[in-house]
Amino acid sequence: MSDPLPTDTEPIPLSQPDISDLERTYVSDVLNSTRLSFGPFLERFEAKMAERCGTKHAVAVSSGTAALHCIVRSLPLSAGDEVLTTPYSFVASSNALLFENVDPVFVDIDPATYNVDVEKLERAITPRTQGILAVDVFGTPADWPGLTALGEKHDLVLIDDACEALGAGIQDRPIGTWGDAASFGFYPNKQITTGEGGCITTNDADLADLCRSLRNQGRATSTRMEHVRLGFNYRMSEMQAAVGCAQLERLDDLLGRRSNAAEAYHEALAPLSDMLHRPKAAPAGTRSWFVYVVRLPDDAPPSARDRVVQHLNDRGIGSAPYFPSIHLQPFYREQFGYNPGRLPVTERVAERTLALPFFAGITHQQIDRVANVLSNQLPDLLRD
């Protein structure tokens, strides 16, 4: 292997938020006001999210996980019910079910898109199945037309974990308007950020009203100090909402720059296409670029992925495994007794995928540097 790059070479982070003077101005406006929570920026942010997602309601909360939890809590799901979901996601998607003692039932993924396989979902339905929680993995829309038809056929609730997919769509409908409700997350690596934060979008007025109560300690939405249910402190601050408003105003520009970065990666990595595969976009879908993930060939040993990640990190280039299989995480193995081999497509993909540096401000020179480092050593790194 070649030596690491000189120490004076600027590191390339795995992700990086894009903050402009507009965000700073809006936060300053908040700090110069008397409203640090439940103020005009929160109302404005929710209105902008609803408009962008094409829904009647949006409810801002403290994280994408909080958004998912509120949705699960608000739907007609009871302890012991089963909800079918994907094992190839960030662990929060299934954790939100466990918070309410709902059992996640993992269904294998489509090897092309990495989203949950709708045909396999139907075969997994049992009398205990009450819903489907699908994830738009890496900003690629799940098969929402197929999921909608399946939900209607079997009378199932549909939850969209859209935390990675703001700005995506399928069949001319934005992600956020499919299913009973959708959740978005605004961690600093997402398409937009509020630092921490999340949002629920839905056309169901009752569900939206219940989520507003749940985020604020179970208060009745019409009175100040009357608590009518068990709730949580899932509020979004006015400062976060101010950052979110600025980011939403800049969303098309941020999405465009991310898309351009993805195209630059496609071109730079084209000579390595037999060694680095990419998930495909959903049919009739518009992808919103969250991360840039590549997959090593199926005949590469699983240990190769970790060698590639370490090789990049040693040279100041951010990289990480994306995603480990949820069902093989230590907690899930201990809790449910999962073992390797249960979900072969997910496991094969998860063992061989890694994320490369990706954010709105990444330069073509940085992308070329990543490609050059990979080109120099990738064949050797893939050997067992």
Side-chain angles (χ1 to χ4, degrees):
M1 293 185 184
S2 61
D3 293 331
L5 290 173
T7 55
D8 61 352
T9 301
E10 190 72 25
I12 306 175
L14 178 60
S15 65
Q16 185 171 278
D18 190 291
I19 303 298
S20 72
D21 286 342
L22 184 61
E23 285 86 349
R24 298 182 184 97
T25 297
Y26 284 0
V27 171
S28 180
D29 290 344
V30 173
L31 295 176
N32 288 321
S33 76
T34 59
R35 297 290 295 275
L36 302 186
S37 184
F38 282 124
F41 275 107
L42 181 69
E43 294 179 3
R44 184 169 156 189
F45 180 71
E46 291 178 335
K48 285 179 175 292
M49 278 295 297
E51 179 182 11
R52 184 74 195 204
C53 295
T55 58
K56 296 177 181 177
H57 308 280
V59 182
V61 291
S62 57
S63 69
T65 307
L68 271 177
H69 186 195
C70 286
I71 292 169
V72 174
R73 184 67 170 264
S74 300
L75 289 170
L77 296 169
S78 302
D81 286 345
E82 292 180 349
V83 169
L84 307 181
T85 190
T86 176
Y88 191 64
S89 171
F90 186 59
V91 71
S93 58
S94 53
N95 282 355
L97 298 169
L98 294 180
F99 295 160
E100 295 301 314
N101 296 310
V102 173
D103 294 335
V105 175
F106 295 115
V107 176
D108 220 344
I109 61 173
D110 181 323
T113 66
Y114 303 173
N115 283 316
V116 70
D117 189 313
V118 174
E119 291 184 5
K120 292 175 182 175
L121 279 173
E122 184 155 30
R123 294 198 295 269
I125 293 172
T126 74
R128 289 178 56 200
T129 305
Q130 298 299 315
I132 298 170
L133 193 164
V135 181
D136 306 301
V137 175
F138 305 144
T140 297
D143 180 6
W144 283 104
L147 290 164
T148 300
L150 188 61
E152 291 174 351
K153 178 179 177 181
H154 296 277
D155 193 25
L156 304 174
V157 299
L158 295 179
I159 303 168
D160 183 4
D161 179 343
C163 288
E164 302 173 1
L166 180 62
I170 191 166
Q171 288 191 351
D172 297 323
R173 283 180 59 184
I175 290 299
T177 191
W178 295 87
D180 292 277
S183 64
F184 292 91
F186 309 122
Y187 191 70
N189 64 348
K190 296 297 196 300
Q191 289 89 339
I192 69 166
T193 186
T194 58
E196 294 279 359
C199 193
I200 298 140
T201 58
T202 183
N203 286 315
D204 186 328
D206 291 337
L207 186 147
D209 194 58
L210 182 52
C211 288
R212 292 188 185 98
S213 173
L214 290 171
R215 75 176 173 185
N216 193 25
Q217 301 288 8
R219 289 185 187 179
T221 54
S222 59
T223 59
R224 180 172 177 79
M225 293 300 290
E226 183 181 13
H227 298 261
V228 296
R229 59 182 56 87
L230 179 65
F232 314 97
N233 181 357
Y234 284 167
R235 297 184 293 268
M236 174 182 278
S237 75
E238 190 71 353
M239 286 80 75
Q240 291 171 303
V243 173
C245 285
Q247 293 265 291
L248 279 176
E249 289 180 27
R250 302 174 55 225
L251 177 58
D252 288 329
D253 174 64
L254 294 171
L255 292 176
R257 289 160 62 197
R258 283 173 170 264
S259 181
N260 290 340
E263 289 298 324
Y265 260 124
H266 297 345
E267 182 177 346
L269 296 177
L272 303 175
S273 59
D274 58 333
M275 293 181 283
L276 296 176
H277 307 295
R278 302 191 309 269
K280 294 181 179 179
T286 303
R287 176 185 285 164
S288 173
W289 284 95
F290 162 50
V291 291
Y292 195 89
V293 166
V294 292
R295 187 179 101 210
L296 305 181
D298 288 347
D299 59 1
S303 58
R305 191 270 308 278
D306 293 337
R307 288 198 295 270
V308 174
V309 169
Q310 189 63 53
H311 180 76
L312 291 167
N313 289 339
D314 286 346
R315 286 148 185 81
I317 296 172
S319 180
Y322 262 69
F323 284 116
S325 300
I326 294 177
H327 69 292
L328 297 182
Q329 294 281 7
F331 171 77
Y332 280 83
R333 294 190 66 168
E334 293 168 8
Q335 189 79 6
F336 299 103
Y338 291 124
N339 288 307
R342 183 183 183 95
L343 299 162
V345 178
T346 297
E347 292 168 30
R348 186 170 66 249
V349 168
E351 288 174 339
R352 292 170 175 82
T353 45
L354 63 142
L356 301 177
F358 191 77
F359 44 93
I362 194 169
T363 67
H364 284 220
Q365 290 81 4
Q366 289 173 316
I367 290 170
D368 287 341
R369 179 176 146 199
V370 175
N372 288 336
V373 169
L374 287 171
S375 297
N376 290 336
Q377 295 296 329
L378 192 56
D380 290 338
L381 292 167
L382 295 184
R383 295 193 182 98
D384 201 348

